[in-house]
Amino acid sequence: MEGINKTAKIQFFFRPFSPNPEIQLVIFVAFLAMYLTSLGGNATIAAIVHTNYSLHTPMYFFLANLAILEIFYTSSIAPLALANLLSMGKTPVTITGCGTQMFFFVFLGGADCVLLAVMAYDRFVAICYPLRYTLIMSWSLCVKLTVGSLVLGFLLSLPLTILIFHLPFCHNNEIYHFYCDMPAVMRLACADTRVHKMALYVISFIVLSIPLSLISISYVFIIAAIVRIRSAEGRHRAFSTCSSHILVVLLQYGCTSFIYLSPSSRYSPEMGRMVSVVYTFITPILNPLIYSMRNKELKDALKKALRKF
């Protein structure tokens, strides 16, 4: 009980990127610009899909939900990271606050990964079974798949967060990161974390490998169907609806796999922090850019919306 009380009183601090305040300020401006760009881009995608009746299809429904997820996902990280950049790592976060941030980060990140798999299934049905597409991808199924993504993210996040924050934390309270990432927090525990590392690896494997396997299987069938399309224009149109999704999947899964599926003995705090910048700040910016640049219908809807202003 005394150990639990001591742990409950601990406050964490995040290590600055640099001891130089001027460099920290430059990084703060860069992070703030990326965060605001991400919010603006994803909010625009969600708003365009919501207000444009021609985009009320399953594909754009999932895209709008992905954009909303990205907004909350980035917002679970950015405010605290920005505060710590300005304060040179002197902004404290309680163990409850750290656990809350970790829960929402894993919850939203897991839901994001599952939703990308759902989007791959949607493209598979659209290209392989075009005549039955509206029948298979009914609105009730779309809602169930989206809710299912959130439920799976929640069920994976909650037990892992509880497991990690039952660890005792003693003297070292400086997290070598800019948010409460699981590997970085576990390094501060003054107890054996082998079980916790194994749990993290297993859950990460489930969250990353199973959806990625489903995405890969979907695209094997999609590519086979595209090759059979006789007209070059038809092949180009079919591929253009999938290429944006493939790019987003490669960005999201590539970075997160590097962090969470690498052996713990090879985990580098500095490298982990650098790679985390990509999937917490840069990828949420690229998602709306990739989709808006490579999708003709969405691009046309954006142009129409801009003309009104």
Side-chain angles (χ1 to χ4, degrees), residues 180-242:
C180 291
D181 195 22
M182 290 170 287
V185 171
M186 281 195 292
R187 289 171 68 89
L188 304 184
C190 50
D192 186 357
T193 59
R194 282 178 295 183
V195 173
H196 302 75
K197 288 176 181 176
M198 181 58 68
L200 172 60
Y201 185 85
V202 169
I203 290 178
S204 299
F205 185 81
I206 292 170
V207 170
L208 296 171
S209 66
I210 294 178
L212 186 58
S213 298
L214 295 173
I215 291 169
S216 302
I217 292 168
S218 296
Y219 275 106
V220 168
F221 287 103
I222 287 169
I223 292 168
I226 290 174
V227 169
R228 291 197 297 268
I229 296 174
R230 294 182 180 181
S231 69
E233 183 183 348
R235 285 195 300 270
H236 175 74
R237 184 173 180 180
F239 181 74
S240 67
T241 63
C242 300

Side-chain angles (χ1 to χ4, degrees), residues 121-175:
Y121 174 71
D122 171 69
R123 292 298 83 210
F124 160 72
V125 176
I127 292 171
C128 297
Y129 301 98
L131 298 179
R132 297 174 57 197
Y133 177 68
T134 53
L135 181 64
I136 296 172
M137 298 303 296
S138 63
W139 282 113
S140 62
L141 178 63
C142 292
V143 172
K144 287 175 183 176
L145 289 171
T146 303
V147 173
S149 301
L150 295 171
V151 170
L152 283 172
F154 177 85
L155 293 177
L156 290 168
S157 176
L158 186 62
L160 186 58
T161 305
I162 291 172
L163 183 67
I164 290 174
F165 281 92
H166 266 77
L167 284 166
F169 297 96
C170 304
H171 305 293
N172 184 12
N173 61 348
E174 185 183 55
I175 300 174

Side-chain angles (χ1 to χ4, degrees), residues 7-26:
T7 300
K9 294 175 183 177
I10 286 178
Q11 288 186 319
F12 292 118
F13 296 87
F14 298 101
R15 181 176 294 190
F17 281 87
S18 169
N20 188 327
E22 293 180 358
I23 294 176
Q24 282 284 105
L25 183 60
V26 171

Side-chain angles (χ1 to χ4, degrees), residues 3-299:
I4 293 173
N5 289 337
K6 285 182 179 178
T7 300
K9 294 175 183 177
I10 286 178
Q11 288 186 319
F12 292 118
F13 296 87
F14 298 101
R15 181 176 294 190
F17 281 87
S18 169
N20 188 327
E22 293 180 358
I23 294 176
Q24 282 284 105
L25 183 60
V26 171
I27 297 172
F28 168 82
V29 172
F31 273 38
L32 180 61
M34 287 190 289
Y35 178 50
L36 294 177
T37 304
S38 169
L39 288 182
N42 284 294
T44 300
I45 295 289
I48 290 294
V49 172
H50 178 71
T51 57
N52 197 307
Y53 184 77
S54 65
L55 300 180
H56 289 185
T57 64
M59 181 176 79
Y60 294 107
F61 171 77
F62 293 130
L63 179 57
N65 279 281
L66 180 68
I68 294 168
L69 264 182
E70 294 283 14
I71 290 171
F72 286 106
Y73 174 73
T74 312
S75 297
S76 69
I77 302 297
L80 187 58
L82 291 169
N84 274 278
L85 283 166
L86 274 183
S87 67
M88 292 294 294
K90 294 177 181 177
T91 301
V93 56
T94 63
I95 196 163
T96 303
C98 193
T100 302
Q101 185 187 58
M102 183 184 291
F103 166 76
F104 280 105
F105 171 73
V106 178
F107 164 43
L108 297 167
D112 199 316
C113 290
V114 177
L115 189 58
L116 286 172
V118 169
M119 293 172 75
Y121 174 71
D122 171 69
R123 292 298 83 210
F124 160 72
V125 176
I127 292 171
C128 297
Y129 301 98
L131 298 179
R132 297 174 57 197
Y133 177 68
T134 53
L135 181 64
I136 296 172
M137 298 303 296
S138 63
W139 282 113
S140 62
L141 178 63
C142 292
V143 172
K144 287 175 183 176
L145 289 171
T146 303
V147 173
S149 301
L150 295 171
V151 170
L152 283 172
F154 177 85
L155 293 177
L156 290 168
S157 176
L158 186 62
L160 186 58
T161 305
I162 291 172
L163 183 67
I164 290 174
F165 281 92
H166 266 77
L167 284 166
F169 297 96
C170 304
H171 305 293
N172 184 12
N173 61 348
E174 185 183 55
I175 300 174
Y176 200 126
H177 219 300
F178 59 89
Y179 68 94
C180 291
D181 195 22
M182 290 170 287
V185 171
M186 281 195 292
R187 289 171 68 89
L188 304 184
C190 50
D192 186 357
T193 59
R194 282 178 295 183
V195 173
H196 302 75
K197 288 176 181 176
M198 181 58 68
L200 172 60
Y201 185 85
V202 169
I203 290 178
S204 299
F205 185 81
I206 292 170
V207 170
L208 296 171
S209 66
I210 294 178
L212 186 58
S213 298
L214 295 173
I215 291 169
S216 302
I217 292 168
S218 296
Y219 275 106
V220 168
F221 287 103
I222 287 169
I223 292 168
I226 290 174
V227 169
R228 291 197 297 268
I229 296 174
R230 294 182 180 181
S231 69
E233 183 183 348
R235 285 195 300 270
H236 175 74
R237 184 173 180 180
F239 181 74
S240 67
T241 63
C242 300
S243 57
S244 304
H245 183 255
I246 293 171
L247 287 172
V248 170
V249 167
L250 290 174
L251 281 169
Q252 182 78 8
Y253 281 86
C255 294
T256 49
S257 297
F258 179 84
I259 297 295
Y260 297 108
L261 296 183
S262 297
S264 57
S265 58
R266 293 173 55 189
Y267 176 78
S268 165
E270 190 62 41
M271 182 61 71
R273 188 163 64 169
M274 291 298 105
V275 175
S276 295
V277 173
V278 176
Y279 63 79
T280 55
F281 281 93
I282 297 175
T283 302
I285 294 173
L286 294 178
N287 287 357
L289 287 175
I290 290 169
Y291 279 111
S292 61
M293 286 189 298
R294 301 188 65 87
N295 189 293
K296 187 178 183 301
E297 290 177 326
L298 189 59
K299 197 188 299 184

